[in-house]
Amino acid sequence: MDKVINGKLLREEKLALFSEKIKSIPDKLKLVVIQVGENAASDVYVRNKRNVCERVGILFKHLKYDSITEDELVSVISGLNNDSSVTGILVQLPLPEGINTENVINSISPLKDVDGLTIKNVGALFSGKPRLVPCTALGVMSILDNIDANLEGSNVVVVGRSKLVGLPLVALLLRENATVTVCHSKTVNLKEKTSQADILIVAVGNKEFIKGDFVKKDAIVIDVGINRDSGKLYGDCAFDEVVGKCKYITPVPGGVGPLTITYLINNVIEAYHLQKKD
Amino acid sequence: MDKVINGKLLREEKLALFSEKIKSIPDKLKLVVIQVGENAASDVYVRNKRNVCERVGILFKHLKYDSITEDELVSVISGLNNDSSVTGILVQLPLPEGINTENVINSISPLKDVDGLTIKNVGALFSGKPRLVPCTALGVMSILDNIDANLEGSNVVVVGRSKLVGLPLVALLLRENATVTVCHSKTVNLKEKTSQADILIVAVGNKEFIKGDFVKKDAIVIDVGINRDSGKLYGDCAFDEVVGKCKYITPVPGGVGPLTITYLINNVIEAYHLQKKD
């Protein structure tokens, strides 16, 4: 295994696996992605989702609204909840101002909530019974699994406490018996914390925020950040400084990113099985 | 403020406050506690709950079943969910073998779930919108508030990851911008972790498990453990060793314990308001 983790390679392995699973399902799976307003980054993300869905044989429907009220949006989602041909529903974030994101997300049936953001799915995760879990967190766990990272008893430091990455990782890492420290923008002396990590996971969205001296020798570094600057992508870690010290590191791009959409596919499959069991 | 925190005194202050709140509510509040099977410790806990409820003017109903099936129990709870005279429902744990605790707990309406253990209430807490939160975790937070503990940026180490104490505290402490480390039975070199804590919260149920050298000088130590040995109560900390080093410590008994039932009263009041808003 190379020191610089090849997320694209792992994506291909996982997608091959998920494609086989999809082939063995008698019904056609379908993902509906809802987008509101203009956002160039969202356009890219939605296109990437479509590409991967089409590759593995999941029907993809893109509902794009220039403008829609919260009530109308909830009503659209309610229709999709009741449409048995729809396996998964994803609301592309951010939503425009004036729409309460939380209300919209929680109007999605927890059985179709492939982003794992509804209160019921968050509650299931923190009650020790994960159902649909945010894709990026699953992607990080799959990378750790792939390099045979020994989680039990390891010191894992998670920098960032978002609902999409940091918080679900806390639940998933505790399930694997890691000792978990959660750091964030208000943490005092961050370097002291990160430099004790056997496994350091950074998801803050701050270009090259983690310097070489923030990292313990031979640590595993998972960089979830995607920061654009002058048309180029950067992670949350200063890659050139960190790569010489660590045991493993995920690059940006090509590390965690490719796994995120891969685990969206996983969640569409999971959603199908949850609905069948229901 | 004394170094040894007087939980009973804080309980009296809080109960006086909650009694006033209850007086200002036009409806009569009512808590129903369900107990199944014989358990001497549960009998004591239920009696204590009754005493405090009666003191503050909350109607108390104790449903005790020698034996009942899971379906029958869920049906009883369903009736209580639909009974508008019932403000709060609490299932005294543990339930006997053969009954799925999770199914029973999740049959309680989240608006009446005064223990804060239903998936919806756990999800709300970890989605940043706490509604009904486990009483012991709230009791710990009230103690920290009472001694003006500076949580923002503090290193808080929580030992124990239970649904009742450790996990909800992670969410509550992160909301206050603490840096939080979760340790547990699989943590390697626990002493190294605990001795870095500005605030050390221990909830493992292991008599005098935390020794003097586990604690940093001038730390705040919150001992949630209640361990019985030869008719005497002990905490999870070796009190005599720790008390000389720390800034504050909660004794056992008389520390966190009195706050737990106090915050059950808080939750009955909260449940009332949630139901009115619904």
Side-chain angles (χ1 to χ4, degrees):
Chain A
M1 183 68 67
D2 286 339
K3 175 188 271 203
V4 179
I5 292 167
N6 188 334
K8 288 180 182 172
L9 199 67
L10 184 56
R11 173 184 63 190
E12 295 309 307
E13 281 176 30
K14 294 291 175 188
L15 282 183
L17 190 75
F18 297 154
S19 290
E20 287 307 308
K21 283 191 181 181
I22 290 167
K23 277 184 197 141
S24 73
I25 292 174
D27 302 304
K28 196 74 185 162
L29 305 186
K30 182 170 166 185
L31 174 65
V32 179
V33 172
I34 302 171
Q35 190 183 358
V36 183
E38 277 307 322
N39 182 314
S42 288
D43 288 341
V44 174
Y45 292 134
V46 172
R47 194 163 56 237
N48 290 344
K49 284 167 188 165
R50 176 192 291 277
N51 290 343
V52 178
C53 281
E54 288 177 349
R55 228 187 104 180
V56 297
I58 292 176
L59 297 173
F60 187 89
K61 188 169 179 186
H62 183 193
L63 297 179
K64 190 168 178 179
Y65 300 95
D66 292 338
S67 131
I68 188 169
T69 68
E70 184 179 317
D71 284 350
E72 287 165 346
L73 192 50
V74 166
S75 163
V76 166
I77 290 171
S78 168
L80 298 169
N81 287 340
N82 294 323
D83 180 346
S84 64
S85 78
V86 173
T87 320
I89 304 167
L90 188 154
V91 175
Q92 188 67 42
L93 301 179
L95 289 170
E97 271 185 48
I99 295 183
N100 182 318
T101 301
E102 206 182 334
N103 291 347
V104 171
I105 293 295
N106 281 305
S107 74
I108 301 172
S109 160
L111 302 177
K112 298 190 176 185
D113 163 36
V114 289
D115 251 351
L117 289 177
T118 56
I119 279 181
K120 271 203 168 174
N121 282 326
V122 173
L125 176 58
F126 280 93
S127 298
K129 302 277 180 184
R131 298 192 309 182
L132 293 167
V133 175
C135 313
T136 306
L138 291 177
V140 169
M141 294 304 286
S142 82
I143 288 173
L144 292 173
D145 180 56
N146 189 247
I147 57 175
D148 275 328
N150 173 30
L151 291 171
E152 179 156 322
S154 279
N155 295 320
V156 184
V157 175
V158 178
V159 188
R161 51 179 161 171
S162 70
K163 293 179 200 176
L164 274 169
V165 190
L167 285 183
L169 274 172
V170 172
L172 295 172
L173 291 163
L174 285 174
R175 280 172 69 78
E176 301 296 330
N177 293 322
T179 300
V180 183
T181 298
V182 190
C183 298
H184 44 75
S185 57
K186 305 291 183 185
T187 290
V188 174
N189 207 349
L190 179 65
K191 187 161 85 171
E192 189 187 304
K193 309 288 179 299
T194 58
S195 59
Q196 294 182 46
D198 302 317
I199 299 172
L200 175 61
I201 304 172
V202 191
V204 293
N206 194 339
K207 177 189 165 191
E208 301 190 337
F209 175 64
I210 298 293
K211 308 297 181 195
D213 58 350
F214 279 55
V215 176
K216 186 165 86 167
K217 192 172 174 309
D218 293 330
I220 294 169
V221 180
I222 308 290
D223 187 344
V224 186
I226 298 179
N227 309 288
R228 281 166 215 279
D229 189 359
S230 313
K232 203 166 168 280
L233 291 183
Y234 297 85
D236 288 343
C237 297
F239 185 87
D240 293 341
E241 293 183 23
V242 174
V243 69
K245 290 185 73 177
C246 64
K247 184 172 175 195
Y248 288 111
I249 186 168
T250 60
V252 177
V256 175
L259 272 307
T260 294
I261 298 186
T262 303
Y263 275 84
L264 176 60
I265 302 302
N266 171 76
N267 282 359
V268 176
I269 300 169
E270 290 292 317
Y272 172 82
H273 291 299
L274 285 170
Q275 288 157 45
K276 282 286 151 190
K277 263 197 289 187
D278 193 48
Chain B
M1 182 69 67
D2 286 337
K3 173 188 274 205
V4 179
I5 293 167
N6 188 334
K8 289 181 182 173
L9 199 67
L10 184 55
R11 172 182 66 190
E12 295 309 308
E13 281 175 30
K14 294 291 176 188
L15 282 182
L17 190 75
F18 296 154
S19 291
E20 287 307 308
K21 283 191 179 180
I22 290 167
K23 277 185 196 140
S24 73
I25 293 174
D27 301 304
K28 197 75 185 165
L29 306 185
K30 182 170 164 183
L31 174 65
V32 178
V33 173
I34 301 172
Q35 191 183 355
V36 182
E38 276 308 320
N39 182 314
S42 288
D43 288 341
V44 173
Y45 292 135
V46 173
R47 194 163 56 236
N48 290 343
K49 284 166 186 164
R50 176 192 290 278
N51 289 343
V52 177
C53 280
E54 288 177 348
R55 226 187 106 180
V56 297
I58 292 176
L59 297 173
F60 187 90
K61 189 170 177 184
H62 183 195
L63 297 179
K64 189 169 180 180
Y65 300 96
D66 291 337
S67 130
I68 188 170
T69 67
E70 186 179 317
D71 284 350
E72 287 165 345
L73 191 52
V74 166
S75 163
V76 166
I77 290 170
S78 170
L80 298 169
N81 287 340
N82 294 322
D83 180 346
S84 64
S85 77
V86 173
T87 319
I89 304 168
L90 188 153
V91 174
Q92 188 68 41
L93 300 179
L95 288 170
E97 270 184 47
I99 296 182
N100 183 318
T101 300
E102 208 181 330
N103 291 347
V104 171
I105 293 295
N106 282 304
S107 74
I108 301 172
S109 161
L111 302 176
K112 297 190 176 185
D113 163 35
V114 288
D115 251 351
L117 290 177
T118 56
I119 279 182
K120 271 204 168 174
N121 281 326
V122 173
L125 176 58
F126 280 91
S127 298
K129 302 278 179 183
R131 297 192 309 184
L132 293 167
V133 176
C135 312
T136 306
L138 291 177
V140 169
M141 295 303 285
S142 82
I143 287 173
L144 293 173
D145 180 58
N146 189 248
I147 58 174
D148 274 328
N150 174 30
L151 292 173
E152 180 157 321
S154 279
N155 295 320
V156 183
V157 175
V158 179
V159 188
R161 50 181 161 169
S162 71
K163 294 180 199 177
L164 274 168
V165 189
L167 285 182
L169 274 171
V170 172
L172 295 172
L173 291 163
L174 285 174
R175 280 173 68 79
E176 300 296 330
N177 293 322
T179 301
V180 183
T181 298
V182 191
C183 298
H184 44 74
S185 55
K186 304 291 182 185
T187 291
V188 175
N189 207 347
L190 178 66
K191 187 162 87 172
E192 189 187 305
K193 309 286 178 301
T194 58
S195 59
Q196 293 181 45
D198 301 319
I199 300 171
L200 176 61
I201 304 173
V202 190
V204 291
N206 194 340
K207 177 189 166 191
E208 299 189 338
F209 175 64
I210 298 292
K211 310 295 182 193
D213 58 351
F214 279 55
V215 177
K216 186 166 86 167
K217 193 173 174 306
D218 293 330
I220 294 169
V221 180
I222 308 290
D223 187 344
V224 186
I226 297 179
N227 308 290
R228 281 166 217 278
D229 188 0
S230 313
K232 204 167 167 275
L233 292 183
Y234 297 85
D236 288 342
C237 298
F239 185 88
D240 292 341
E241 293 183 23
V242 175
V243 67
K245 289 184 74 177
C246 65
K247 186 172 173 195
Y248 289 111
I249 186 168
T250 60
V252 178
V256 175
L259 271 307
T260 295
I261 299 186
T262 302
Y263 274 83
L264 175 61
I265 302 302
N266 171 76
N267 281 1
V268 176
I269 299 169
E270 290 293 318
Y272 172 82
H273 291 300
L274 285 170
Q275 288 157 44
K276 281 288 149 188
K277 264 198 286 185
D278 193 50

